[in-house]
Amino acid sequence: MLGLALDGRLDDWTVDLDRLASTADFVAEVVRERYPRLDVPVHSRWRHFVFGGRDLWDEILGKANSQSTEGAARSAFDLVITSVLLDAGAGPGWHYHDRATGLVAARSEGLALASLRWYESGGLANDPHGLFRVDAAALRRVDSQAIQGAFQVSEANPLLGLEGRAALLNRLGAVMESRPDLFAISDSPRPGGLFDALRARASNGRLPAATILETVLEALGPIWQGRPSLGGVPLGDCWPHPALALAAHSPEDGYAPLHKLSQWLTYSLLEPLGKAGISVIDVHELTGLAEYRNGGLFVDMGVLNPRDRESLSKTHGVMDPFVVGWRALTVALLDRLAPLVGTRLGLTPDLFPLACILEGGTWAAGRLIARKLRGSGGPPFHVLSDGTVF
């Protein structure tokens, strides 16, 4: 897609690579400000459970000190899988007030906090007293009213995509029950069962990151509705684009595989796997994330430019070529940007991989520039979503 854009063969977007240098300067500045010692962690859901230096997940896990190493890993998988799947855009008018700490958070941080407390309360367990777990049967019973209560939704505090989020969790529960080989190797069906499936795929305690992604795509592929399919296989966050189709040598070449939530989930599984003694290798084989913070950064910094500026004032569907092209170009440009940022920080790719640049990084820089340019801090244009893409 980037090659097509640089050749002037995209109808919607042009790319100005000369703007990458100033974008790298900006991102490097953000990294230094947020992490003065340059000790940047991997971009994952776990960062959103830390507020003011307090790691709320560690505090919760401390209450379950009787758990084995494997049990703690399953509990972590339970939380992070459901929390990531609930993380689609909240909208500008929603926030969550945590009564236990007094914290008020919005957007991704608020969704993380709300999902953490829902999990902690046993609201996602089959037995309401079953702490530190999520069960397939409970997920199948979730409805929009349950999410409304758990996320403090009201007319004055609206959350986008209630029905979509509930339906997604329902499908997740059903898929887990249909795949005991992935979700019920050592227990009844639960998201944490995926830990056992991944542990079985490790060799000598080493597990390639790409294997985690492949397993996540296999396990979660059926939960996505309204997505393209090819040869009877549901593709998930993978979309056709007319410019790719024109250049394609086979039908599958006409698709842009993005898998934003699945890759973010993969990044988020690295830490619990590591704590359980499984070494994840070749993390560099994963890509950047095709979401509106990274994509918005490139638009707001002038690297990506719509051919028709009025496109920014319109609303687009997730499968519109305008959006598919924007997201695919974002992934490709993150690969171009990463070494430039690393050079400015004096860090090599092995010390500062893409997963850390995202966290340090492009996601935070995208949010910062959005707030400077738009009071709401929202994306540069509006994308219709059912709550399961961004």
Side-chain angles (χ1 to χ4, degrees):
M1 193 77 81
L2 180 59
L4 292 170
L6 293 175
D7 288 342
R9 296 165 62 189
L10 290 188
D11 292 337
D12 297 315
W13 295 98
T14 63
V15 176
D16 185 355
L17 292 181
D18 290 339
R19 298 290 300 169
L20 271 182
S22 59
T23 305
D25 291 339
F26 176 50
V27 173
E29 178 185 338
V30 170
V31 173
R32 285 196 186 96
E33 183 175 336
R34 298 183 72 228
Y35 297 94
R37 294 186 296 175
L38 301 183
D39 52 345
V40 185
V42 170
H43 185 59
S44 79
R45 186 54 155 176
W46 302 107
R47 307 289 80 76
H48 292 157
F49 298 132
V50 178
F51 293 85
R54 289 182 61 180
D55 190 324
L56 301 183
W57 168 241
D58 272 356
E59 292 178 12
I60 290 172
L61 199 59
K63 303 172 186 176
N65 52 20
S66 61
Q67 280 193 326
S68 64
T69 300
E70 293 79 11
R74 294 184 193 106
S75 291
F77 270 51
D78 280 342
L79 169 63
V80 81
I81 289 172
T82 50
S83 185
V84 164
L85 295 180
L86 285 165
D87 190 62
W94 177 84
H95 66 274
Y96 181 82
H97 175 233
D98 185 41
R99 297 178 180 88
T101 61
L103 291 167
V104 177
R107 300 191 181 274
S108 285
E109 291 86 352
L111 293 168
L113 190 53
S115 61
L116 177 70
R117 295 309 188 196
W118 196 14
Y119 165 90
E120 182 185 18
S121 72
L124 293 169
N126 200 32
D127 176 355
H129 302 293
L131 300 180
F132 314 118
R133 67 178 293 129
V134 175
D135 290 293
L139 291 175
R140 285 196 297 104
R141 293 195 298 268
V142 169
D143 57 19
S144 59
Q145 286 186 325
I147 295 180
Q148 185 174 343
F151 287 72
Q152 302 174 352
V153 179
S154 66
E155 289 187 10
N157 191 36
L159 176 67
L160 298 178
L162 282 179
E163 297 289 346
R165 293 172 208 268
L168 186 64
L169 293 185
N170 298 158
R171 293 193 296 273
L172 175 63
V175 165
M176 288 192 298
E177 292 182 337
S178 71
R179 291 296 305 268
D181 57 316
L182 289 175
F183 294 103
I185 294 175
S186 302
D187 199 348
S188 57
R190 59 187 290 194
L194 198 62
F195 166 74
D196 298 292
L198 288 171
R199 181 172 57 170
R201 298 183 182 192
S203 177
N204 297 319
R206 290 159 60 86
L207 184 65
T211 300
I212 303 174
L213 177 60
E214 290 166 4
T215 306
V216 166
L217 292 175
E218 176 190 357
L220 301 185
I223 74 174
W224 310 111
Q225 283 195 335
R227 307 293 171 84
S229 62
L230 190 64
V233 177
L235 299 182
D237 189 10
C238 179
W239 307 92
H241 191 281
L244 290 178
L246 287 173
H249 298 290
S250 60
E252 59 267 25
D253 290 341
Y255 290 79
L258 301 170
H259 303 301
K260 180 261 176 178
L261 278 176
S262 297
Q263 286 206 91
W264 192 38
L265 176 55
T266 299
Y267 282 126
S268 299
L269 296 179
L270 303 185
E271 289 165 75
L273 285 166
K275 290 180 180 178
I278 298 174
S279 175
V280 179
I281 60 175
D282 300 329
V283 179
H284 66 275
E285 292 186 356
L286 303 178
T287 75
L289 302 181
E291 47 81 50
Y292 72 86
R293 289 301 179 201
N294 293 320
L297 172 69
F298 289 121
V299 174
D300 290 338
M301 295 298 292
V303 181
L304 282 176
N305 298 284
R307 289 188 181 276
D308 179 5
R309 296 296 299 182
E310 291 187 4
S311 297
L312 299 181
S313 61
K314 298 177 181 178
T315 297
H316 305 269
V318 293
M319 67 181 303
D320 291 351
F322 184 81
V323 174
V324 176
W326 169 58
R327 298 180 71 205
L329 291 169
T330 294
V331 172
L333 287 168
L334 285 168
D335 282 342
R336 296 286 187 100
L337 182 68
L340 300 179
V341 175
T343 297
R344 283 155 173 77
L345 297 172
L347 297 173
T348 57
D350 58 323
L351 294 175
F352 194 47
L354 179 60
C356 295
I357 292 174
L358 295 173
E359 173 61 27
T362 55
W363 192 90
R367 171 178 276 186
L368 183 60
I369 190 66
R371 285 175 174 168
K372 287 183 178 179
L373 296 179
R374 293 174 295 279
S376 67
F381 54 88
H382 185 60
V383 181
L384 281 176
S385 173
D386 63 356
T388 62
V389 176
F390 295 107

